[in-house]
Amino acid sequence: MTESVSLDSAKVRVAELRQQLNQYSYEYYIKDAPSITDSEYDQLYRELEQLEKQFPTLITQVSPTQRVGDKVSEGFQKVTHQVPLYSLSNAFNKEDLLSFDQRVRKLTQEPVQYMCELKIDGLSVSLRYEEGRLVLGATRGDGTIGEDITQNIRTIKSIPLQLPKAISNEIRGECYMPKEAFLKLNEEREAEGLDVFANPRNAAAGSLRQLDPKVAAKRNLAVFLYSSATTEGLEANSQEELLKSFKKLGFVTNSLCRKCDTIDEIWSFIEEISQNRANLPYDIDGIVIKVNSLAQQQEIGYTVKAPRWAIAYKFPAEEATTIVHEVEWTVGRTGVVTPTAIMDSVQLAGTSVSRASLHNVDLIKQRDIRLNDTVVVHKAGDIIPEVTRVVLEKRPQDSTPLEIPTHCPNCGEKLVHLEDEVALRCINPKCSALLKEGLAHFVSRNAMNMSGVGVRLIDQLFEKELIHDVADLYQLTMEDLLTLDKVKEKSAEKILTAITNSKTNSLERLLTGLGIHHVGSKAAKLLAQTFGDLDHLMHATKEELLVIDGLGETIADSVLTYFAMDSVQEMMQELKNAGVNMTYLGVVPTTVIDSPWLGKTVVLTGSLEHFSRPELKNILEEKGAKVTGSVSKKTDLVIAGKAAGSKLAKAEQLAIEVWSEEQLLQALEGAER
Ligand code: AMP
Ligand code: ZN
């Protein structure tokens, strides 16, 4: 439908659309009460995009369509803050708070009230508005000079590009990555064979320093605003009023704050928040206590580094010290050799910890971790324990730097450092650790989904030389299987059925299973959809690969290199001869028709033990369910893993059916039988 529109009427409609889209964003992000559905929003957004395409002169920097720029920057410019961003002094217990209170009361004559806020564990950012327009987003830097990250700041949807009032000021706050976005990002990175981020804070920092705003835009960053350079245009006499005026201007503020008169009241707030900390959808590392009155803040003043009128109470760190006895080096599916510290077990954040990933060689060198060192291990929330530092005073005298392997701990071949990578890799395609991990990946739920074929079975098959590569799986016979430990006729039959069934999988499962470098399930699906069958994909040129939206140079090169190998071509032929399906069968397999999941809206929350989130999402979607991100009246079922938080609470409030992971497993198995 391409009606011709005049420039004048387009102008009117464009203004109207922008106003509506901004209003809906405000309802969504600030009031947390959207009045239209996501798809209605998308429709309006597309209409605006269409009009702007038709009339490019109408495009302005503050249009909601202009959040993500397409220019990759070469570096970050330095910028001077209008007023410095201060640091905060710390308190670690109630005594510290009492002496803070005494100091404050000496510096002012009037009675004091405090405002307590959550200390968000992210990065402080400063947003400069001129005449109501966002003109600059900057990092804190050293407090005086920061870096210009405007391109990335603009991609954060809850930050208004245009304020309803023409004020000029710098609004400050904390940028962070919500826990859920962090877990999802790491799952995706893991599937793509990339290094994972140690915590949401690092992930947020990495995202804000992306040179390509398109990448930053995908990272689901969020922000809470809590201070400003001046009070210009803000009509505020206190911290409390400041937060209110921010909210009125369309900024997100954190509502978990409390006005208190005494340290006792503050202490109760701290205790309440400490107990609920794990359920918050973002990480916090303390509570910030600020004198509420802005006039009093000025009266009390600043040290060189920090305001005298505020203090940060820091939660006790979830840290412990222990001794490293051994460093284990293991070879993963992609050949990456990763070190793990084996330590005396210690209690940390309620769990017993004896292993911690050391991630890579660089990290070992940086932190100079040695055998028999006493180390500090840290565990935050759902995150894997990490060795943060060595207690040097306790280092044994005869200690020597840890030996970094030069040869594969499994096959003995020389290890390599690929260009641009911190990882150490075994690139011997015949390395049994690689092959075994590769096989385990091939049969996994997310790939060819051969239920009943697990790591232990693969190990045995491999040791007995019954299989060498994935194609061999399809040649296995009943006799072969019966030679294995603990495999009886009945289970052997099940295994053979699972292998046979996998032959009818749609192509993207095969592609995922092959474990081509950088090709996770998402890329596999794109490739399968685009090329339709393996032959076409194998003959694709680089240009043809690069046409695919969402698929970059790295993946394209990796696919080309992979299929150019003779051994790979042979293996593909073997798979084909064995009757493995090589075509894309579409998203919804025919068996879905009578699936009990058909049309059900499901929400996943908490940490799952048996699946990764994307994996489970895939499984349920294949059965016809719709998996969404938030609980609403339309939700039919919530699957709650460990430490489920606000979504679970919401489900209970709306009386929506909730299943544990166990219940889900039973239901899935029941349906398969
Ligand atoms: P620190 O980095 O430990 O010196 O603590 C100071 C930092 O806490 C500030 O630079 C902010 O980035 C951060 N912060 C987080 N939440 C708040 C808040 N509500 N008020 C003030 N600062 C905060
Ligand atoms: Zn090896």
Side-chain angles (χ1 to χ4, degrees), residues 396-411:
Q397 295 225 310
D398 55 354
S399 142
T400 51
L402 197 72
E403 236 170 274
I404 307 297
T406 50
H407 291 78
C408 175
N410 180 68
C411 70

Side-chain angles (χ1 to χ4, degrees), residues 450 474 493-505 579:
M450 301 185 189
Y474 294 96
E493 244 163 47
K494 261 181 122 177
I495 293 168
L496 289 174
T497 310
I499 296 177
T500 307
N501 286 347
S502 78
K503 291 183 188 175
T504 56
N505 283 337

